[in-house]
Amino acid sequence: MTKLAYLNEIERCASWLAAWTIHHANHVREGDEIKVGGHQASSASLSTIMTALYGSVLRPQDRVVVKPHAAPIFHALQYLAGNQTREKLMNFRGYKGAQSYPSRTKDIDDVDFSTGSVGLGVAQTLFSSLVQDYVSAHGWMKGRPEGRMISLIGDAEMDEGNIYEALIEGWKHGLRNCWWIVDYNRQSLDAVIREGLWQRFEQIFRNFGWDVMILRHGAQQEAAFTEPGGEKLREWIERCPNQLYAVLTFQGGAAWRKRLLDEIGDQGPVAALIERRSDDALQALMTNLGGHDMPSLLEAFEAASSHDRPVCFICYTIKGYGLPLAGHKDNHAGQMTPAHMEGFRRQMAVKPGEEWDKWAAATLPEAELDAFLAKVPFFGEGRRRLSAPSVPVPATLPLPGQPGKPLSTQMGFGQILTDIAREQSPLAERIVTTSPDVTVSTNLGGWVNRRGLFARETMADTFKAERIPSTYSWEFGPKGQHLELGIAESNLMIMLGALGLSHSINGVRLLPIGTVYDPFIYRSADQLNYACYQDARFMLVATPSGVTLAPEGGAHQSIGTPLIGMAQDGLCAFEPAFVDELSVIMRFAFDYMQRNGEGDPDETTWLRDQTGGSVYLRLSTRPLEQPLRDMRPDLARDIVNGAYWLRPPGPNASVVIAYQGVVAPEAIAATGLLAEDRRDVGLMAITSADRLNAGWQAAERARQRGMTGALSHVERMLAPLSRDCGIVTAIDGHPATLAWIGGVNGHRVKALGVEHFGQTGTIADLYRHHGLDTNAIVHAAQAVSAGPAIRYRKALP
C-alpha cells in the first residue's frame, strides 16, 4: 500500500471525527447556546493540509500553530495518533474537555502554541524562529536539530495588522525556518474575500524575502487542463470571481455544468470535456483545488524542505469542503443539521454506535493504519514538550545608589542590570533583553554596552570604528544578548512570549526582559494576554508610571495600566517606590519566572507562588531620595508579598495612608503633617496591589472551603486597626487599583489617583491638578477620620 493511500485514509477518518465531534457538541447539551459552525467549515477546509503535514512532512523538532477554528481536525488527528482521549473528544467545548481552540496549557494533546485571537499565533512562529536562531548561535542546542516554525493561517486572518509588523521584524533579523500556510478558502466570517488578494499577498511576501508557492489547482484539474479544451477551462477558473466560485460550489455539479456550458461551451472540445463527466464528477473536478490535493501538497512541502528560507504557501481551498455547507457565504456560523449529519454518516460508511471509534470511517485494515502512524516521524518522539533546568539566582542582587541621594526606579533598574552584566555568571548569561526602539530611554544602554546586540552575523559599530565619541558602543554579533526591535509594541510582547517559552520549545532556559513605555502597554494588550495565556515566562519593565513624565502631556501618561497588572492572569505586577525594593523584587522575579511546581498555597499569603509566572514592573523616571535602612529578611519578604509598614500604626490609629509607587514623597509628607492632629498615624508602602488582592481573594476562597483560619497578608496587616480607622490610598494611576482595600475589614476609604488625561506641566502641577499632592492627601484624611480639623490644609483648587 502506498503512503498516499494511507494519508488519504487518515484524512477521511479525521474529517469524519472532526465533523462528528462538532455535531455532538452542538446537540448533546440541551439549553446551552453552542455555536461552532466555524469549526465545522474550517476543519473541513484544512483537513488535507493538516493530514499531509502531520502524516508525512513534519519532524519532531518542528512546531505548528493551528488556525483557531481548525481545532477539531487537530484534535482528531491527535486522537488517531494516540495523543488525545475519546472522553475529551466527546467533551469538546465542555468542562475540561478538548478545547475549542488549541491550548498548550489546557489540552492534553501535543499543542505547540495556543491560538484563539486571530493573527497572534501567526506572528508567534516568526518570533519563535528568531529565538531558535538566538539559542543556536549561543551554542545551546546541544545537537538538537533546528525545527521549522509553521503556522496554518486563514486568509481572512491575514487582515490582522500585527502579522505585517512581524514581517518587517523578520526581514530585519534574517528570518529562517518559518512556513506560513495560508488556507485560501476566500471566505471570512462575514463575507467573501475581495478579488486578487492572493496577488497582494504574493507581492508583500516576496518583498520581504520570502519564497511564495501558490497551490491553485489539484491533480484532477491539472490533468483536465491537458485534455482538448482544457486550457479554456483553466482560463475560466482563474478568471472566475470568488463569490461566483463559492456559489457554484454550494449549488453543485448541475450548476457548474450550466454555467460552464453557457460561458465557454463551444459544441466542441470544451463542451465534450464537460459532458464526459457526471454531475458528481464535475463537482469533484471543480473543487479539486491545490489545498485539497494530497500529491500537490506533498510535492510543495517536500520542495520547500530542501532549504531554510521562509516560505509562504497560498493554498486554494473550499471552506466546508465535502460538507453540505461547502461554499455558502454563511457557513462560518452554519451548523450541520441532524439530517445533514445522518447523510454524511452514510456517505462515510460509519456504522451507528461506532461514531467515536478511531477508524470508524476507514476502508483499510485498522492494524495497517496504526502501524503506519506509528512510523510517522512527527509522532516518533511522543509528546514533544521539553524542559530545562533552572538558572541559579543569587541570594541578593546589586543595590545601586546611595542613601539620601535621589534616584529613580528606572535608573535603578538600568544600574542593577549593568552590575549583573559585569559578572560572568549563569544569571548574566541567560538574561536576554529586548525593546521596541526605546532601549536607551528605558535605561538598557549600560547592559547593551557590556553584552552587545544579537545578530547571526557580526556587524561593527561604525561610529566607534570612525572614532566618533558616543555614550554607547553597540556591536551586533552571534553572542549578543539584546534583541533590538522596531517601534511596534505588539512585536515586543510576542517576542517576549517566544523567548519565555524557549525552555519548552528549545529545551533551553532564557530569562527575557522587555522594556516599554508604560502608556503603550494598551497598544499591545492582546499580545501580552496571548503570551500569558501560553504560560510564557518573562519580565516586562514599563516606565514612566502615571503622569510623572509631566512635560510630555497626556499622550505619555498612563492611567489604567495598574489595573491591567492586577487583572492579567499569569502576570505578577509590582510598583516599587525605592530602588532597594526594586532590587528585592527583581531577585524574586528571576526565581519566580522559572518556577513550575505544584503544591498548596503559602499560608502566609495564600498565593500559589510555586507555579510561577511572568512579572510586570511599573517603574518611574521620577528621582526619589533613597532611604537609609537595612534590608532585613522580614522586610524583603513583605516587599515581595505586596506591602510593609513604612510607619507602623499605633494602638489608637485614626487614619492610615497607603500608597503605591512614586507618590511616596507626598504620602510621607502628609503623614508628617497629620501627626499633630491625628493619633498613631500609619504609613503603608504597597509594592504590589496585585499580590495583595490575589492573596485576599484566595484566602476568602479557602475560608469558604472550611479553612476558617486562612488569613492573607493584607488582612494580617490591617488586623490591628479599629473599624473606626480611616484609610487614604494614593497611586499615580487609576484610584480603583487600591480602593478595594476598604473592603478587606470594612474601613472607610478615600481613594486618590488619576482618572483623566493630563496635560503638560511639572509633576507638582499635575499632582495638584489631579488631587494627588500632599494637600489632597491631608484633605482625604480629614474626610475619613474623626477628630478636629487638620491644620496645614489649604483649599483644594
Side-chain angles (χ1 to χ4, degrees):
M1 193 67 64
T2 65
K3 178 171 74 172
L4 186 60
Y6 286 122
L7 291 174
N8 286 334
E9 193 78 348
I10 290 168
E11 182 197 359
R12 175 185 172 86
C13 293
S15 296
W16 160 258
L17 283 167
W20 179 250
T21 295
I22 300 163
H23 180 76
H24 185 261
N26 277 333
H27 292 93
V28 298
R29 300 186 185 94
E30 293 183 6
D32 289 351
E33 290 192 12
I34 299 177
K35 185 177 181 181
V36 292
H39 289 93
Q40 230 158 14
S42 290
S43 287
S45 179
L46 272 167
S47 61
T48 318
I49 294 171
M50 291 179 65
T51 302
L53 286 172
Y54 285 97
S56 178
V57 178
L58 297 177
R59 306 158 300 168
Q61 63 268 29
D62 296 332
R63 305 289 175 172
V64 185
V65 162
V66 176
K67 175 182 169 182
H69 283 121
I73 194 70
F74 170 78
H75 291 311
L77 286 167
Q78 295 285 339
Y79 176 54
L80 295 178
N83 295 331
Q84 180 60 277
T85 66
R86 175 186 290 203
E87 291 72 25
K88 288 191 176 290
L89 209 58
M90 292 175 69
N91 196 24
F92 176 66
R93 292 179 67 99
Y95 182 62
K96 294 193 175 181
Q99 297 294 297
S100 50
Y101 305 118
S103 170
R104 59 174 284 111
T105 59
K106 302 181 187 306
D107 276 315
I108 64 166
D109 42 8
D110 209 10
V111 178
D112 293 318
F113 301 106
S114 303
T115 50
S117 185
V118 295
L120 301 185
V122 181
Q124 177 79 68
T125 55
L126 184 150
F127 287 103
S128 291
S129 183
L130 298 183
V131 171
Q132 181 178 250
D133 283 346
Y134 180 91
V135 170
S136 181
H138 282 77
W140 295 329
M141 291 292 281
K142 298 178 181 177
R144 180 175 174 80
E146 294 179 348
R148 290 180 293 259
M149 304 294 167
I150 300 170
S151 182
L152 301 168
I153 316 166
D155 47 4
E157 197 171 4
M158 295 292 289
D159 289 346
E160 290 288 350
N162 71 275
I163 290 175
Y164 302 98
E165 293 179 355
L167 274 181
I168 296 170
E169 213 58 63
W171 174 79
K172 284 193 256 180
H173 286 272
L175 177 68
R176 304 181 305 131
N177 292 317
C178 188
W179 289 2
W180 288 0
I181 302 170
V182 181
D183 174 21
Y184 195 58
N185 58 46
R186 293 170 282 178
Q187 288 186 246
S188 64
L189 274 65
D190 294 330
V192 176
I193 296 296
R194 297 293 178 88
E195 303 301 325
L197 187 60
W198 71 271
Q199 295 161 314
R200 303 296 180 266
F201 288 162
E202 180 182 14
Q203 184 177 355
I204 289 169
F205 280 92
R206 290 198 192 280
N207 285 344
F208 283 104
W210 289 56
D211 288 0
V212 179
M213 301 184 73
I214 300 172
L215 287 79
R216 183 159 196 168
H217 305 291
Q220 284 189 56
Q221 288 192 358
E222 292 289 358
F225 298 155
T226 66
E227 298 178 26
E231 198 54 40
K232 285 191 175 181
L233 178 63
R234 179 199 292 271
E235 292 171 1
W236 186 92
I237 289 174
E238 296 187 355
R239 287 197 315 268
C240 182
N242 291 340
Q243 289 205 43
L244 177 58
Y245 212 92
V247 165
L248 294 172
T249 296
F250 179 72
Q251 291 177 329
W256 283 115
R257 185 181 307 281
K258 183 178 186 307
R259 178 70 65 160
L260 290 170
L261 289 174
D262 285 348
E263 295 195 2
I264 59 173
D266 57 0
Q267 304 303 313
V270 179
L273 184 155
I274 297 165
E275 295 293 3
R276 278 195 297 272
R277 290 166 168 84
S278 66
D279 285 351
D280 287 345
L282 190 57
Q283 171 78 346
L285 172 65
M286 299 305 289
T287 57
N288 176 234
L289 304 181
H292 297 306
D293 190 70
M294 191 71 72
S296 300
L297 288 166
L298 293 176
E299 181 181 357
F301 292 150
E302 287 166 7
S305 298
S306 63
H307 59 79
D308 65 1
R309 295 188 300 275
V311 184
C312 175
F313 301 87
I314 299 176
C315 300
Y316 277 69
T317 60
I318 301 291
K319 190 167 184 178
Y321 180 69
L323 303 179
L325 40 73
H328 197 290
K329 72 181 182 69
D330 297 340
N331 63 11
H332 183 83
Q335 301 174 39
M336 289 174 66
T337 65
H340 284 150
M341 201 66 211
E342 178 60 20
F344 189 55
R345 184 188 63 76
R346 290 195 299 268
Q347 176 187 329
M348 301 295 280
V350 174
K351 297 177 182 177
E354 297 181 2
E355 292 88 352
W356 293 108
D357 290 359
K358 280 177 61 176
W359 303 112
T363 61
L364 295 176
E366 295 182 13
E368 289 187 28
L369 293 167
D370 283 329
F372 175 82
L373 272 181
K375 296 177 182 178
V376 167
F378 185 74
F379 298 119
E381 291 186 3
R383 191 168 167 84
R384 301 159 308 115
R385 192 68 57 88
L386 304 179
S387 61
S390 295
V391 176
V393 179
T396 60
L397 293 185
L399 179 58
Q402 299 177 10
K405 299 291 184 180
L407 189 66
S408 72
T409 48
Q410 177 184 284
M411 292 176 65
F413 161 74
Q415 291 179 27
I416 290 170
L417 268 190
T418 300
D419 287 342
I420 292 172
R422 293 188 177 100
E423 306 168 357
Q424 296 303 317
S425 66
L427 176 65
E429 180 184 62
R430 293 304 175 94
I431 290 175
V432 53
T433 59
T434 185
S435 186
D437 203 37
V438 291
T439 299
V440 173
S441 53
T442 54
N443 280 70
L444 279 177
W447 165 266
V448 179
N449 270 350
R450 291 189 172 274
R451 290 287 169 167
L453 295 103
F454 173 75
R456 286 192 294 114
E457 297 180 1
T458 300
M459 293 184 287
D461 184 338
T462 304
F463 278 80
K464 180 180 178 181
E466 294 294 327
R467 299 185 178 181
I468 298 175
S470 172
T471 305
Y472 304 103
S473 176
W474 288 3
E475 295 180 344
F476 289 83
K479 300 303 178 185
Q481 290 180 240
H482 178 76
L483 288 154
E484 182 64 8
L485 301 174
I487 191 163
E489 286 78 8
S490 67
N491 282 343
L492 169 73
M493 298 304 181
I494 300 179
M495 173 65 92
L496 286 174
L499 290 164
L501 288 175
S502 180
H503 59 283
S504 180
I505 300 299
N506 302 307
V508 176
R509 176 81 61 180
L510 299 176
L511 297 173
I513 300 175
T515 62
V516 68
Y517 287 171
D518 197 60
F520 303 147
I521 285 178
Y522 286 114
R523 193 182 288 175
S524 54
D526 193 19
Q527 289 81 1
L528 172 61
N529 180 68
Y530 177 60
C532 292
Y533 181 67
Q534 298 200 88
D535 197 26
R537 304 302 178 87
F538 53 87
M539 185 188 300
L540 176 64
V541 180
T543 183
S545 61
V547 299
T548 52
L549 202 62
E552 294 293 325
H556 282 75
Q557 295 170 4
S558 62
I559 297 172
T561 52
L563 299 176
I564 293 177
M566 292 182 70
Q568 180 59 62
D569 190 19
L571 190 68
C572 176
F574 290 92
E575 185 174 357
F578 302 112
V579 174
D580 61 352
E581 299 169 354
L582 174 64
S583 178
V584 168
I585 290 167
M586 286 181 66
R587 192 268 162 205
F588 165 79
F590 285 128
D591 181 57
Y592 182 78
M593 288 156 59
Q594 303 182 73
R595 298 179 188 176
N596 194 27
E598 299 293 336
D600 295 327
D602 179 351
E603 294 190 6
T604 63
T605 62
W606 289 92
L607 297 169
R608 291 187 177 274
D609 283 347
Q610 302 96 323
T611 61
S614 291
V615 176
Y616 162 35
L617 306 183
R618 189 174 188 250
L619 306 184
S620 177
T621 54
R622 185 188 188 189
L624 300 186
E625 184 177 307
Q626 299 301 301
L628 173 62
R629 58 185 174 186
D630 294 327
M631 186 52 66
R632 306 178 313 276
D634 59 331
L635 175 58
R637 181 197 64 222
D638 287 350
I639 288 170
V640 167
N641 288 343
Y644 64 94
W645 288 112
L646 194 61
R647 174 176 170 168
N652 299 303
S654 59
V655 65
V656 163
I657 310 298
Y659 74 90
Q660 178 168 296
V662 291
V663 295
E666 286 72 22
I668 292 169
T671 302
L673 293 176
L674 291 170
E676 296 188 28
D677 298 296
R678 292 291 183 272
R679 291 183 298 179
D680 297 341
V681 177
L683 180 60
M684 181 189 295
I686 296 176
T687 54
S688 176
D690 177 28
R691 286 173 64 79
L692 285 186
N693 184 267
W696 177 46
Q697 299 290 346
E700 177 59 28
R701 287 192 296 271
R703 290 192 289 269
Q704 291 173 4
R705 294 185 175 99
M707 301 178 187
T708 55
L711 204 64
S712 66
H713 183 57
V714 69
E715 289 170 314
R716 194 174 292 107
M717 290 194 70
L718 297 178
L721 304 180
S722 74
R723 289 288 296 274
D724 295 329
C725 181
I727 300 176
V728 177
T729 64
I731 180 175
D732 191 342
H734 198 281
T737 309
L738 299 176
W740 58 271
I741 286 177
V744 174
N745 285 334
H747 292 104
R748 294 190 305 277
V749 167
K750 284 288 184 181
L752 307 182
V754 180
E755 295 179 85
H756 305 290
F757 293 118
Q759 47 189 304
T760 57
T762 66
I763 292 176
D765 291 334
L766 297 190
Y767 277 9
R768 184 169 56 253
H769 169 75
H770 289 291
L772 196 53
D773 62 356
T774 298
N775 188 47
I777 295 174
V778 170
H779 270 272
Q782 172 78 63
V784 298
S785 61
I790 299 172
R791 287 167 283 181
Y792 309 112
R793 283 183 306 146
K794 301 176 184 177
L796 292 174

